[in-house]
Amino acid sequence: MLAKTRLAKLGIIVLLVAALAVVLAPSVSAQGGQTYTVQPGDNLYRISVRFGTTIQALVAANNIANPNLIFVGQVLVIPEGATTPPDTPPTNPTPPPSNPPPSSEIVTYTVVSGDTLFKIAQRFNTTIQAIVAENNIANPNLIFVGQVLRIPSGGGTTPPPTTPAPGNPPPPVPPGTSGAFELGGHVAGYGRVGEMRSAGMIWAKKQIRWNRGEGTGAAAGAINEAHNNGFKILLGIVGVPSQMGDFNQYVQEYAAFVGEVAALGPDAIEVWNEPNIDREWPAGQISGGNYTQLLASAYTAIKSRNSNVMVISGAPAPTGFFGGTCQAGGCDDNVFLAQMRSAGASNYMDCVGAHYNEGIISPDFRSGDPRGGHYTRYFWGMLDLYSNTFGGARKVCWTELGYLSPEGYGPLPGHFSWASDTSVAEHAEWLGRAAALSRSSGRVRLMIVWNVDFTAYGDDPVGGYAIVRPDGSCPACGSLSAAVR
């Protein structure tokens, strides 16, 4: 009986191996060439190594717009002349040699915002593989602004040097990685401009819900209204989850839309809102990797139309609801951020978007919240996580930071009862301290107060967060002004 069981198990294993070989084996395209179906973990570099071809050849054969973006299940045509790999590919494709032979001519190039190895290779008339080998790059999808690359000669012309000649401007620096701390507020309208200015705010935020096929009219109106009132404008642009069925097509359409918006002259765009929960992203498809695919396309489109626009990654919802994991309905934000980092998100944002809106103690404290020690309860817990996840390479932009107080409104709904004891005086003091700490930390580029003038106070008591209280006063205006001035 035992021998039969072992034989049965062995037969199952043989069948599984055979099935895997069939899935991974290249097939023949209608045009007579080979095809290959993209597997988890693949990128164009690995596929090119496996088939003995180049990334440029794969891009040309498949009309790939962005060589950094391919997806599992995509069928690629393998150019003629490529070799046929063994039935079972190696677990790790052969890496570039650790000590490549010296090139006949080497120039150096400093990576700037918007660069990819594909763009750099085209510019210098060389190949991605040659740059990877010359610089011992482990992941060709991950390069960073300021990185100095050795470029082997490809026989073409050498572009102008990165180091500027006297009198010429330096290479662009991502807007979120430099600049002084600035303050703003999320607005319902512009009826409280005086209070905003007295608080030291120079930014306003509006969120736009984009439906496929819609034009840029709402965005243009929001930009003009803010600028006419003397404020910089941050537009949070979020789509509709139910419209994202054909994800790759949707990414292209969303990127095209935010590119058109960028051409209208906003000062910053936040790419999506809380993409780690199923209220804002399709259930079962939530991951930092999927979001980074959208972010990368959006960043490229925005910068191609207006390089002065600061691109902020969509702030995840701060939560521990999913127990330190990703589930069908969402991911804890720390897990989601780690996935973004692994997918190379820092190459496609100028600032890390973050929300903090559940505090019930002063932002000065790192412990003492009666609800427990979860990092989302604390200002410093959130700032440390969002800054450190990306190694400090990008500053944090608080695209929502607020404290909830029921004072002047009445009892809070049950799921917001945690803020029942927060007074307006505490609300004002803590906002001022959060602004002061953000400014002095050196790690925060922008703080958008949630919110200035919302008044709704029902199941979602947004009015309780507002700095303009029901009696028309603004106790937080003084504390905020003191923090930034």
Side-chain angles (χ1 to χ4, degrees), residues 49-368:
V49 169
R50 182 169 183 239
F51 284 92
T53 185
T54 66
I55 294 175
Q56 280 89 339
L58 288 169
V59 166
N62 294 276
N63 296 319
I64 296 174
N66 185 344
N68 293 323
L69 298 181
I70 59 174
F71 56 91
V72 174
Q74 182 177 358
V75 178
L76 298 178
V77 175
I78 306 301
E80 290 188 10
T83 59
T84 302
D87 290 339
T88 304
T91 304
N92 296 305
T94 303
S98 57
N99 294 300
S103 302
S104 58
E105 181 183 349
I106 297 291
V107 295
T108 60
Y109 175 75
T110 302
V111 177
V112 299
S113 176
D115 272 343
T116 64
L117 287 188
F118 177 71
K119 290 182 179 179
I120 296 169
Q122 282 191 320
R123 186 178 182 207
F124 283 87
N125 192 24
T126 186
T127 66
I128 294 175
Q129 279 93 335
I131 299 174
V132 165
E134 188 67 46
N135 295 273
N136 294 325
I137 295 173
N139 186 342
N141 293 324
L142 298 181
I143 58 174
F144 55 88
V145 173
Q147 183 177 1
V148 178
L149 298 176
R150 290 167 53 84
I151 310 296
S153 172
T157 58
T158 301
T162 301
T163 303
N168 292 335
V173 175
T177 60
S178 63
F181 170 79
E182 293 176 324
L183 182 69
H186 195 137
V187 298
Y190 289 89
R192 295 292 183 169
V193 168
E195 286 87 345
M196 292 175 70
R197 289 178 179 150
S198 72
M201 294 181 178
I202 62 174
W203 285 80
K205 178 186 175 182
K206 284 270 194 172
Q207 185 164 289
I208 293 174
R209 179 73 67 173
W210 174 69
N211 283 280
R212 294 176 78 171
E214 284 183 346
T216 58
I223 294 167
N224 292 335
E225 193 174 18
H227 288 171
N228 290 340
N229 280 284
F231 293 97
K232 297 180 181 181
I233 180 67
L234 163 60
L235 293 179
I237 302 180
V238 58
V240 179
S242 63
Q243 299 175 2
M244 298 172 69
D246 185 345
F247 183 66
N248 291 283
Q249 178 62 33
Y250 185 88
V251 166
Q252 294 179 31
E253 293 179 23
Y254 178 88
F257 176 74
V258 294
E260 292 296 322
V261 172
L264 300 174
D267 301 280
I269 293 176
E270 182 178 13
V271 179
W272 218 263
N273 174 69
E274 300 189 342
N276 64 319
I277 55 175
D278 61 7
R279 184 179 65 231
E280 299 287 20
W281 199 272
Q285 300 178 35
I286 299 170
S287 77
N290 285 343
Y291 169 71
T292 298
Q293 181 178 340
L294 179 136
L295 175 65
S297 291
Y299 179 91
T300 301
I302 291 167
K303 294 297 186 179
S304 69
R305 300 301 300 274
N306 186 345
S307 62
N308 294 319
V309 175
M310 178 163 62
V311 179
I312 304 173
S313 61
T319 181
F321 179 82
F322 302 100
T325 67
C326 276
Q327 301 174 17
C331 299
D332 283 0
D333 56 323
N334 59 343
V335 177
F336 192 84
L337 289 169
Q339 293 172 340
M340 286 176 59
R341 178 190 60 210
S342 297
S346 60
N347 293 312
Y348 305 109
M349 61 184 175
D350 300 323
C351 198
V352 185
H355 289 173
Y356 176 62
N357 47 28
E358 60 177 85
I360 58 171
I361 61 174
S362 169
D364 291 281
F365 298 119
R366 292 178 177 270
S367 62

Side-chain angles (χ1 to χ4, degrees), residues 371-464:
R371 297 167 295 178
H374 196 264
Y375 64 88
T376 59
R377 312 296 195 199
Y378 302 95
F379 169 90
W380 285 114
M382 290 294 290
L383 180 55
D384 288 346
L385 171 67
Y386 281 69
S387 177
N388 294 343
T389 295
F390 298 97
R394 295 292 180 269
K395 288 188 176 181
V396 172
C397 285
W398 298 115
T399 56
E400 283 185 14
L401 192 151
Y403 292 90
L404 175 60
S405 171
E407 189 174 334
Y409 279 104
L412 287 163
H415 48 290
F416 286 95
S417 60
W418 46 266
S420 294
D421 295 331
T422 301
S423 67
V424 167
E426 289 171 323
H427 169 272
E429 177 190 349
W430 296 345
L431 280 173
R433 288 299 299 151
L437 293 170
S438 294
R439 181 183 185 185
S440 63
S441 74
R443 295 189 282 166
V444 178
R445 174 67 177 83
L446 178 64
M447 173 175 148
I448 298 293
V449 173
W450 171 250
N451 61 76
V452 174
D453 57 343
F454 285 63
T455 58
Y457 195 81
D459 190 56
D460 186 4
V462 294

